[in-house]
Amino acid sequence: EMMLRARRDEKVRERLERMLLGWNGYVEALIARGVRDGDFARDLDPQLAAALVTSYSMGSNLQHGVRGANFPQESAYERLVALLRPRS
């Protein structure tokens, strides 16, 4: 609902943007640490990966809310993590 309202209300958009930037920054820091520690692929761009992870989280929440048990949340999550991991 906030995302829809943000399209019409500049103040809501600004607040939502700050929230998303904070969330992306937190996830980016976690991913950067994972890259540094070898948990994620060395060539992974933490900023881009954070945008993908947060977008996945928001989208899967929507999918799960609408589709319930028909949304393959666990397998989608496992596939996302596999994309981030180092390739053998």
Side-chain angles (χ1 to χ4, degrees):
E1 290 181 31
M2 275 184 63
M3 286 184 265
L4 291 174
R5 184 165 176 196
R7 294 179 180 188
R8 301 183 309 274
D9 185 327
E10 184 62 23
K11 288 183 181 183
V12 172
R13 189 201 64 74
E14 290 172 0
R15 289 181 192 143
L16 186 58
E17 182 179 29
R18 282 194 305 268
M19 183 184 76
L20 291 174
L21 287 173
W23 190 16
N24 278 332
Y26 177 76
V27 173
E28 182 179 341
L30 291 174
I31 291 172
R33 186 174 67 200
V35 169
R36 186 177 57 248
D37 294 347
D39 296 322
F40 296 128
R42 290 276 177 215
D43 62 346
L44 187 64
D45 178 339
Q47 185 177 23
L48 178 59
L52 291 170
V53 168
T54 55
S55 295
Y56 163 80
S57 295
M58 291 168 32
S60 69
N61 188 34
L62 174 65
Q63 289 267 5
H64 192 278
V66 172
R67 297 177 60 201
N70 292 324
F71 176 63
Q73 189 165 8
E74 189 171 326
S75 59
Y77 168 78
E78 288 171 0
R79 182 68 186 130
L80 176 64
V81 170
L83 291 171
L84 301 174
R85 294 224 184 261
R87 295 158 212 53
S88 306

